[in-house]
Amino acid sequence: MQAKLSVVALSVAAAFALSACGEKEAPPAPVAAPAAPAAKPEVVVKLGHVAPMTGPQAHLGKDNESGAILAVEELNSQGLEIGGAKVKFELVSEDDQADPKQGTIVAQKLVDAKVNGIIGHLNSGTTIPASKLYFDAGMPQVSPSATNPKYTQQGFNTAFRVMANDIQQGKVLGEFAVKQGAKTVAIIDDRTAYGQGLADEFRKAAEAAGLKVVANEYTNDKATDFKAILTKIKSKKADLVFFGGMDAQGGPLVKQMKDLGIKAKFLGGDGVCTPEFMKLGGPAADGQYCSLPGMPLEQLAKGPEFKSKFTTKFGYEIQLYAPNVYDAVMVIADSMKRADSIEPAKYLPEIGKTNMEGVSGKIEFDEFGDLKGGAISVYQYQGGTLTYVETLGGAPAPAAEAPAAPAADAAAAPAAAVEEKK
Amino acid sequence: MKNWLNPKSMTGIALIAIALIVLPHVVGMGGQAWVRILNFAILYVFLALGLNIVVGFAGLLDLGYIAFYAVGAYTWALLASPHFGLHFPLWAILPIGALMACVFGVLLGSPTLKLRGDYLAIVTLGFGEIIRIFLNNLNSPVNITNGPQGITLIDPVRIGDFSFSGTTQIFGFALSGPQKYYYLLVALAILVIIINVRLQHSRIGRAWQAIREDEIAAKAVGINTRNIKLLAFAMGASFGGIAGGIFSAMQGFVSPESFSLIESIMVLAMVVLGGMGHIPGVILGAVLLTFLPEVLRYAVGPVQMALFGKILIDPESLRMLIFGLALVLVMRFKPAGLWPSPERSRELSDKPVEAVK
Amino acid sequence: MDIFLQQIINGLVQGSIYALVALGYTMVYGIMGLINFAHGEVVMIGALVSITVTSTLAAAGMPIGLAGLFGLVAAILVCMALGWSLERIAYRPLRGSPRLTPLITAIGMSIVLQNLAMIIWGRNYLTFPPLLPKVNFEVAGAHFTLVQVAIVLLSAAMMSGLVFLVYRTKLGMAMRATAQNPAVASLMGVNINRVIAAAFVVGSALAAVAGVMVGSYYEIAHYQMGFMLGLKAFTAAVLGGIGNLAGAMAGGVLLGVIEALGAGYIGDLTGGFLGSHYQDIFAFVVLIGVLMFKPSGLFGEKTGDRA
């Protein structure tokens, strides 16, 4: 009978210990002590930001977070007033480790913490499952970097993104490949939601444009050795190698291409358009092409200013999406201003009506939450820097589309064929 | 089985029951995220108990156990989502999921029958990886699993009109989605625990223990080691399959990334840390190892602030570091686990061995 | 067929690295019956230490080759110390405990080392400075670099060194005796503790060299590189017959070649159904196949009379 009682005691104790735990952890984010409150009531607006802060993409997560921090500080320095109170923005930063399971856990955490809006996540693989949680909670979510088309095809009226998606990106890259004079192409993807999605879109576009796909090879997002698949590609004599994946693999890949004496050119998406790619690829990265959503910072009205502000504040270069994160924060703030409320339920409808000039270009959303007129720019690595080549796709004015579908909640319709519009 | 009806046991059971009923609301005061974590803890309890059959009872070191979880999860996903357009009800899918997992258990177990010890470990590890990679790639030529994108918009558990996701009002009480799932999980857990306890004390259970202690002697006594081993794999797998199904429904989304080798290792750690072969110990191990990283996630930042006034070490790395240290320390000081079975602690202590029982 | 030779070369280089790491696993397992899950992390620490030392010295003006040598030596020393501490602190107190306990400890140490590395070296991928000049050779259509040649030669050298140690020295004899039967060996005057510590230390030294090799081959290193490598190396050790030195070496090289050939040819052989997306599991499939016919690995295991 001793065992019985000890079991009882243990479980009761455990229940109370857990409850004590739970209550102790209730306030999630450290609240920065506000400055001397003005006469007007001051209200704190918490914005959740999620990205992988550990793991192979941690450098991109940090980059995103920095963009958000910059935006929040600027907003705070403007001393905005919304709904009759001074607002102070605060960033609640979480790490999802690019793992979908972690993504849903931190999403739930943020929903519990009743933040006012979400910037994130970074990877499509985590953004998509988390978006369901945010939708169920009616919490607006603006992703600065999830390019997988599915994100906005789920019928969630809370899901938005501030850059072009992979359908547009793949298409542009396919056209660019043809323009470069390639006749045969080998496609490598890293078997992640992002890499596979992008590679599939590229394949569709390339085949439609008349390119012959001579090899489909695969790797994973933790690999460092690509010699086997590259050797195979070499034997198929492709003119161009397309890689759907991230810089952590792209860099070594391009290096090994050189080691093996492969003459083909390399083309990748936004995942490899980072300084990290150049660092990891070394001299082999020179002359390779990649694409980024939007226009180059230097050519945008507010671009150079943002760039210098960023590097001055943080002391390192922009990796990839920091401008888009900045814009995402601004979109939310702007919608709040227009709705004159920080309540998610009130400013959510305003997001769809956004029409502003962000750092990354004009921001307007279509009825699915995608960016209207999303342009994609192609760049080439030359002499250690990313040089702009050209911009394809996405006219500034929206092409005349058929749908009279109302902006707000679509029913949870299975993936509508959204591709053809852009 | 001991006599459950005497007053002492009844009060014990009543107290536990009350604690269990109240738990999600108490925990929920810290936020629904904690209820979610509690639900994950219960799912891991299923997994740990299942692995306990293979590793704890039968002594077969299985490092690829998470594959059965994956099978259960994908079975639910395929049968209850827009992917194939099928929407089977709960009472149909769970048994199918358990059955599929059993089948895979036998499939994975068969080649390992002649292997001993650590060869078994690496082969099962290999199987775990094989399943995961197949799940990640079976999207062409025929799209079965939708590859790395995973399957989304999976139906939640539904009984009639009552859906387990979203908040419902019952008797003026608001029950959130996670809380409803909690009750479902606890009910299933109780069932699973009872099955496990009965198995342990049955002829099959004793056969497993015989194989664990000395396989050759077991064969000599007439135990059909081949079938008993396969049964261990199958039964262990079935629990994983059930847990996988509920996981799928709860998350609304599955992708191969959730079923990696690290997960298998985690479940093994739960079994060993808790007390291999001892059901209460295993349950403790599962709950503890699920909560520890999450508690650390919340605590590491504030604790550093309190102690040092600033964040010295990045919380993310620190929390996993502490987790690893916890594993090492527990194993160092309690090699038989936190709550080993009485026989085991007798074995490992230095007291002279008296006649057993 | 010109890529056949290329794939073989790819596989050979990768396999030599696997072999070096597999030796560490097999030595420890042969003597202690323990799967040292943290071994992969020792390789990683070796790579990262050598990057730090080499880069610092090179930045201070030392010629890169010399800096690289210093880096290698530093890595070896650090890893030897690490291996010794692992054994002393984590594993020795657990001798005599249930079989799975040291396994969980090893897993715990693996997590600790990974996160320690992340804290010390950061999360980003670090670039390895090229230690050898970039010379490309071409033979019969297959390309290989000086680095690859160096790796294969160095691996072979280290493996011969190990064989010499184990079969021609007193320490080696003591190791073999302990592997066969620790109780009797200690009765014969062998200091078991010293022998076990030596096994860890030697294994860790090999791991350090492997780490530097991996680093210079791919020119990157980061805190998560040890896990997969360790896993594959362990698979290689099992493939060859665990506890068996020759087995580990053969298993490592074989594994590398299988992976390369598999990734290169399976796609064509199965008409695209099974292609390089499955390359990570070729090794396991082969392993399972081999074990079904030879349950103790290719060369049989040598772990003596332990139940």
Side-chain angles (χ1 to χ4, degrees), chain A residues 365-395:
Chain A
F365 298 110
D366 67 14
E367 70 269 28
F368 294 101
D370 275 314
L371 189 69
K372 270 195 199 164
I376 308 272
S377 303
V378 182
Y379 298 78
Q380 188 182 29
Y381 285 98
Q382 280 173 6
T385 51
L386 209 49
T387 321
Y388 174 69
V389 175
E390 58 175 340
T391 303
L392 295 168

mmCIF file of all heavy atoms in Angstrom, chain A residues 365-395:
data_model
loop_
_atom_site.group_PDB
_atom_site.id
_atom_site.type_symbol
_atom_site.label_atom_id
_atom_site.label_comp_id
_atom_site.label_asym_id
_atom_site.label_seq_id
_atom_site.Cartn_x
_atom_site.Cartn_y
_atom_site.Cartn_z
ATOM 1 N N PHE A 365 -2.407 44.436 -51.252
ATOM 2 C CA PHE A 365 -2.698 43.006 -51.194
ATOM 3 C C PHE A 365 -3.856 42.632 -52.093
ATOM 4 O O PHE A 365 -4.796 43.396 -52.256
ATOM 5 C CB PHE A 365 -3.050 42.599 -49.757
ATOM 6 C CG PHE A 365 -1.940 42.819 -48.793
ATOM 7 C CD1 PHE A 365 -2.027 43.823 -47.842
ATOM 8 C CD2 PHE A 365 -0.802 42.043 -48.828
ATOM 9 C CE1 PHE A 365 -1.007 44.043 -46.943
ATOM 10 C CE2 PHE A 365 0.228 42.257 -47.931
ATOM 11 C CZ PHE A 365 0.135 43.261 -46.989
ATOM 12 N N ASP A 366 -3.792 41.424 -52.623
ATOM 13 C CA ASP A 366 -4.955 40.939 -53.366
ATOM 14 C C ASP A 366 -5.871 40.198 -52.383
ATOM 15 O O ASP A 366 -5.608 40.145 -51.199
ATOM 16 C CB ASP A 366 -4.543 40.069 -54.547
ATOM 17 C CG ASP A 366 -3.898 38.762 -54.116
ATOM 18 O OD1 ASP A 366 -3.999 38.390 -52.923
ATOM 19 O OD2 ASP A 366 -3.290 38.108 -54.966
ATOM 20 N N GLU A 367 -6.952 39.626 -52.938
ATOM 21 C CA GLU A 367 -7.947 39.073 -52.006
ATOM 22 C C GLU A 367 -7.461 37.821 -51.292
ATOM 23 O O GLU A 367 -8.108 37.320 -50.388
ATOM 24 C CB GLU A 367 -9.264 38.769 -52.731
ATOM 25 C CG GLU A 367 -9.198 37.603 -53.692
ATOM 26 C CD GLU A 367 -8.817 38.054 -55.086
ATOM 27 O OE1 GLU A 367 -8.114 39.075 -55.207
ATOM 28 O OE2 GLU A 367 -9.219 37.387 -56.029
ATOM 29 N N PHE A 368 -6.300 37.291 -51.710
ATOM 30 C CA PHE A 368 -5.793 36.111 -51.024
ATOM 31 C C PHE A 368 -4.767 36.467 -49.973
ATOM 32 O O PHE A 368 -4.335 35.621 -49.211
ATOM 33 C CB PHE A 368 -5.157 35.145 -52.031
ATOM 34 C CG PHE A 368 -6.147 34.557 -52.979
ATOM 35 C CD1 PHE A 368 -6.271 35.053 -54.261
ATOM 36 C CD2 PHE A 368 -6.964 33.524 -52.586
ATOM 37 C CE1 PHE A 368 -7.184 34.523 -55.143
ATOM 38 C CE2 PHE A 368 -7.885 32.984 -53.465
ATOM 39 C CZ PHE A 368 -8.002 33.487 -54.733
ATOM 40 N N GLY A 369 -4.379 37.730 -49.942
ATOM 41 C CA GLY A 369 -3.347 38.108 -48.987
ATOM 42 C C GLY A 369 -1.978 38.172 -49.631
ATOM 43 O O GLY A 369 -0.980 38.448 -48.968
ATOM 44 N N ASP A 370 -1.916 37.880 -50.924
ATOM 45 C CA ASP A 370 -0.625 37.981 -51.617
ATOM 46 C C ASP A 370 -0.353 39.423 -51.996
ATOM 47 O O ASP A 370 -1.261 40.229 -52.139
ATOM 48 C CB ASP A 370 -0.639 37.140 -52.899
ATOM 49 C CG ASP A 370 -0.297 35.697 -52.627
ATOM 50 O OD1 ASP A 370 0.682 35.463 -51.895
ATOM 51 O OD2 ASP A 370 -1.022 34.817 -53.128
ATOM 52 N N LEU A 371 0.916 39.696 -52.219
ATOM 53 C CA LEU A 371 1.288 41.042 -52.618
ATOM 54 C C LEU A 371 0.899 41.253 -54.072
ATOM 55 O O LEU A 371 1.172 40.413 -54.923
ATOM 56 C CB LEU A 371 2.803 41.206 -52.469
ATOM 57 C CG LEU A 371 3.343 42.611 -52.630
ATOM 58 C CD1 LEU A 371 2.906 43.456 -51.459
ATOM 59 C CD2 LEU A 371 4.857 42.578 -52.723
ATOM 60 N N LYS A 372 0.258 42.368 -54.328
ATOM 61 C CA LYS A 372 -0.104 42.648 -55.713
ATOM 62 C C LYS A 372 1.130 43.127 -56.449
ATOM 63 O O LYS A 372 1.923 43.887 -55.915
ATOM 64 C CB LYS A 372 -1.159 43.760 -55.757
ATOM 65 C CG LYS A 372 -2.571 43.262 -55.712
ATOM 66 C CD LYS A 372 -3.515 44.372 -56.124
ATOM 67 C CE LYS A 372 -4.918 44.071 -55.643
ATOM 68 N NZ LYS A 372 -5.769 45.256 -55.671
ATOM 69 N N GLY A 373 1.231 42.721 -57.684
ATOM 70 C CA GLY A 373 2.345 43.232 -58.482
ATOM 71 C C GLY A 373 3.687 42.842 -57.928
ATOM 72 O O GLY A 373 4.641 43.593 -58.006
ATOM 73 N N GLY A 374 3.773 41.661 -57.389
ATOM 74 C CA GLY A 374 5.054 41.257 -56.812
ATOM 75 C C GLY A 374 6.109 41.086 -57.883
ATOM 76 O O GLY A 374 5.987 40.219 -58.740
ATOM 77 N N ALA A 375 7.121 41.881 -57.816
ATOM 78 C CA ALA A 375 8.172 41.769 -58.819
ATOM 79 C C ALA A 375 9.279 40.886 -58.285
ATOM 80 O O ALA A 375 9.449 40.729 -57.092
ATOM 81 C CB ALA A 375 8.726 43.155 -59.125
ATOM 82 N N ILE A 376 9.987 40.307 -59.219
ATOM 83 C CA ILE A 376 11.153 39.503 -58.834
ATOM 84 C C ILE A 376 12.348 40.068 -59.568
ATOM 85 O O ILE A 376 12.275 40.329 -60.765
ATOM 86 C CB ILE A 376 10.982 38.028 -59.264
ATOM 87 C CG1 ILE A 376 9.675 37.473 -58.769
ATOM 88 C CG2 ILE A 376 12.155 37.215 -58.825
ATOM 89 C CD1 ILE A 376 9.737 36.879 -57.413
ATOM 90 N N SER A 377 13.429 40.253 -58.853
ATOM 91 C CA SER A 377 14.637 40.759 -59.493
ATOM 92 C C SER A 377 15.706 39.698 -59.503
ATOM 93 O O SER A 377 15.842 38.929 -58.559
ATOM 94 C CB SER A 377 15.167 41.971 -58.734
ATOM 95 O OG SER A 377 14.188 42.958 -58.660
ATOM 96 N N VAL A 378 16.445 39.698 -60.585
ATOM 97 C CA VAL A 378 17.535 38.728 -60.699
ATOM 98 C C VAL A 378 18.855 39.447 -60.473
ATOM 99 O O VAL A 378 19.049 40.574 -60.903
ATOM 100 C CB VAL A 378 17.536 38.070 -62.093
ATOM 101 C CG1 VAL A 378 18.645 37.041 -62.183
ATOM 102 C CG2 VAL A 378 16.188 37.415 -62.352
ATOM 103 N N TYR A 379 19.730 38.761 -59.774
ATOM 104 C CA TYR A 379 21.030 39.350 -59.467
ATOM 105 C C TYR A 379 22.135 38.401 -59.865
ATOM 106 O O TYR A 379 21.924 37.203 -60.020
ATOM 107 C CB TYR A 379 21.159 39.603 -57.961
ATOM 108 C CG TYR A 379 20.155 40.559 -57.407
ATOM 109 C CD1 TYR A 379 18.851 40.156 -57.156
ATOM 110 C CD2 TYR A 379 20.512 41.881 -57.133
ATOM 111 C CE1 TYR A 379 17.921 41.035 -56.656
ATOM 112 C CE2 TYR A 379 19.581 42.755 -56.618
ATOM 113 C CZ TYR A 379 18.295 42.337 -56.386
ATOM 114 O OH TYR A 379 17.388 43.202 -55.878
ATOM 115 N N GLN A 380 23.326 38.968 -60.001
ATOM 116 C CA GLN A 380 24.475 38.117 -60.268
ATOM 117 C C GLN A 380 25.585 38.485 -59.303
ATOM 118 O O GLN A 380 25.801 39.657 -58.986
ATOM 119 C CB GLN A 380 24.961 38.306 -61.704
ATOM 120 C CG GLN A 380 26.036 37.315 -62.096
ATOM 121 C CD GLN A 380 26.558 37.538 -63.498
ATOM 122 O OE1 GLN A 380 26.553 38.651 -63.989
ATOM 123 N NE2 GLN A 380 27.000 36.486 -64.142
ATOM 124 N N TYR A 381 26.279 37.467 -58.828
ATOM 125 C CA TYR A 381 27.427 37.721 -57.962
ATOM 126 C C TYR A 381 28.608 38.101 -58.826
ATOM 127 O O TYR A 381 29.030 37.334 -59.691
ATOM 128 C CB TYR A 381 27.775 36.467 -57.159
ATOM 129 C CG TYR A 381 26.813 36.206 -56.037
ATOM 130 C CD1 TYR A 381 25.776 35.302 -56.183
ATOM 131 C CD2 TYR A 381 26.934 36.884 -54.825
ATOM 132 C CE1 TYR A 381 24.885 35.070 -55.151
ATOM 133 C CE2 TYR A 381 26.047 36.656 -53.795
ATOM 134 C CZ TYR A 381 25.023 35.753 -53.963
ATOM 135 O OH TYR A 381 24.149 35.521 -52.941
ATOM 136 N N GLN A 382 29.118 39.298 -58.594
ATOM 137 C CA GLN A 382 30.268 39.717 -59.374
ATOM 138 C C GLN A 382 31.279 40.327 -58.443
ATOM 139 O O GLN A 382 30.996 41.318 -57.779
ATOM 140 C CB GLN A 382 29.847 40.767 -60.404
ATOM 141 C CG GLN A 382 29.204 40.179 -61.631
ATOM 142 C CD GLN A 382 28.661 41.258 -62.537
ATOM 143 O OE1 GLN A 382 28.878 42.444 -62.290
ATOM 144 N NE2 GLN A 382 27.955 40.870 -63.570
ATOM 145 N N GLY A 383 32.470 39.732 -58.466
ATOM 146 C CA GLY A 383 33.564 40.306 -57.683
ATOM 147 C C GLY A 383 33.220 40.494 -56.230
ATOM 148 O O GLY A 383 33.635 41.461 -55.612
ATOM 149 N N GLY A 384 32.442 39.594 -55.682
ATOM 150 C CA GLY A 384 32.211 39.665 -54.243
ATOM 151 C C GLY A 384 30.999 40.465 -53.823
ATOM 152 O O GLY A 384 30.721 40.612 -52.648
ATOM 153 N N THR A 385 30.257 40.999 -54.774
ATOM 154 C CA THR A 385 28.998 41.669 -54.378
ATOM 155 C C THR A 385 27.886 41.219 -55.304
ATOM 156 O O THR A 385 28.106 40.718 -56.395
ATOM 157 C CB THR A 385 29.088 43.196 -54.496
ATOM 158 O OG1 THR A 385 29.586 43.516 -55.792
ATOM 159 C CG2 THR A 385 30.004 43.791 -53.440
ATOM 160 N N LEU A 386 26.690 41.505 -54.846
ATOM 161 C CA LEU A 386 25.509 41.124 -55.590
ATOM 162 C C LEU A 386 25.193 42.258 -56.556
ATOM 163 O O LEU A 386 24.972 43.391 -56.153
ATOM 164 C CB LEU A 386 24.363 40.940 -54.602
ATOM 165 C CG LEU A 386 23.271 39.944 -54.953
ATOM 166 C CD1 LEU A 386 23.877 38.641 -55.375
ATOM 167 C CD2 LEU A 386 22.399 39.742 -53.738
ATOM 168 N N THR A 387 25.210 41.961 -57.819
ATOM 169 C CA THR A 387 24.943 43.015 -58.806
ATOM 170 C C THR A 387 23.578 42.788 -59.439
ATOM 171 O O THR A 387 23.244 41.680 -59.839
ATOM 172 C CB THR A 387 26.000 42.965 -59.932
ATOM 173 O OG1 THR A 387 27.250 42.676 -59.358
ATOM 174 C CG2 THR A 387 26.048 44.282 -60.663
ATOM 175 N N TYR A 388 22.853 43.859 -59.550
ATOM 176 C CA TYR A 388 21.511 43.769 -60.091
ATOM 177 C C TYR A 388 21.555 43.504 -61.586
ATOM 178 O O TYR A 388 22.347 44.079 -62.316
ATOM 179 C CB TYR A 388 20.801 45.083 -59.790
ATOM 180 C CG TYR A 388 19.446 45.204 -60.406
ATOM 181 C CD1 TYR A 388 18.397 44.421 -59.966
ATOM 182 C CD2 TYR A 388 19.227 46.111 -61.437
ATOM 183 C CE1 TYR A 388 17.165 44.543 -60.536
ATOM 184 C CE2 TYR A 388 17.982 46.242 -62.010
ATOM 185 C CZ TYR A 388 16.948 45.454 -61.548
ATOM 186 O OH TYR A 388 15.725 45.577 -62.108
ATOM 187 N N VAL A 389 20.727 42.598 -62.027
ATOM 188 C CA VAL A 389 20.677 42.328 -63.463
ATOM 189 C C VAL A 389 19.415 42.905 -64.075
ATOM 190 O O VAL A 389 19.446 43.779 -64.915
ATOM 191 C CB VAL A 389 20.759 40.805 -63.732
ATOM 192 C CG1 VAL A 389 20.579 40.507 -65.193
ATOM 193 C CG2 VAL A 389 22.094 40.277 -63.241
ATOM 194 N N GLU A 390 18.292 42.373 -63.616
ATOM 195 C CA GLU A 390 17.051 42.930 -64.161
ATOM 196 C C GLU A 390 15.874 42.502 -63.299
ATOM 197 O O GLU A 390 15.991 41.613 -62.478
ATOM 198 C CB GLU A 390 16.846 42.443 -65.590
ATOM 199 C CG GLU A 390 16.789 40.923 -65.697
ATOM 200 C CD GLU A 390 16.467 40.488 -67.108
ATOM 201 O OE1 GLU A 390 15.928 41.295 -67.867
ATOM 202 O OE2 GLU A 390 16.743 39.324 -67.429
ATOM 203 N N THR A 391 14.748 43.125 -63.557
ATOM 204 C CA THR A 391 13.523 42.767 -62.848
ATOM 205 C C THR A 391 12.531 42.211 -63.837
ATOM 206 O O THR A 391 12.345 42.761 -64.918
ATOM 207 C CB THR A 391 12.902 44.008 -62.183
ATOM 208 O OG1 THR A 391 13.883 44.578 -61.321
ATOM 209 C CG2 THR A 391 11.696 43.613 -61.356
ATOM 210 N N LEU A 392 11.907 41.139 -63.448
ATOM 211 C CA LEU A 392 10.926 40.532 -64.336
ATOM 212 C C LEU A 392 9.633 40.350 -63.583
ATOM 213 O O LEU A 392 9.614 40.162 -62.382
ATOM 214 C CB LEU A 392 11.405 39.160 -64.809
ATOM 215 C CG LEU A 392 12.657 39.161 -65.679
ATOM 216 C CD1 LEU A 392 13.183 37.752 -65.825
ATOM 217 C CD2 LEU A 392 12.331 39.726 -67.041
ATOM 218 N N GLY A 393 8.564 40.366 -64.309
ATOM 219 C CA GLY A 393 7.292 40.000 -63.691
ATOM 220 C C GLY A 393 6.704 41.095 -62.840
ATOM 221 O O GLY A 393 7.411 41.960 -62.345
ATOM 222 N N GLY A 394 5.406 41.056 -62.680
ATOM 223 C CA GLY A 394 4.744 41.953 -61.744
ATOM 224 C C GLY A 394 4.723 43.392 -62.186
ATOM 225 O O GLY A 394 5.611 44.177 -61.891
ATOM 226 N N ALA A 395 3.709 43.785 -62.933
ATOM 227 C CA ALA A 395 3.543 45.199 -63.262
ATOM 228 C C ALA A 395 3.023 45.915 -62.030
ATOM 229 O O ALA A 395 2.391 45.299 -61.187
ATOM 230 C CB ALA A 395 2.553 45.332 -64.414
#
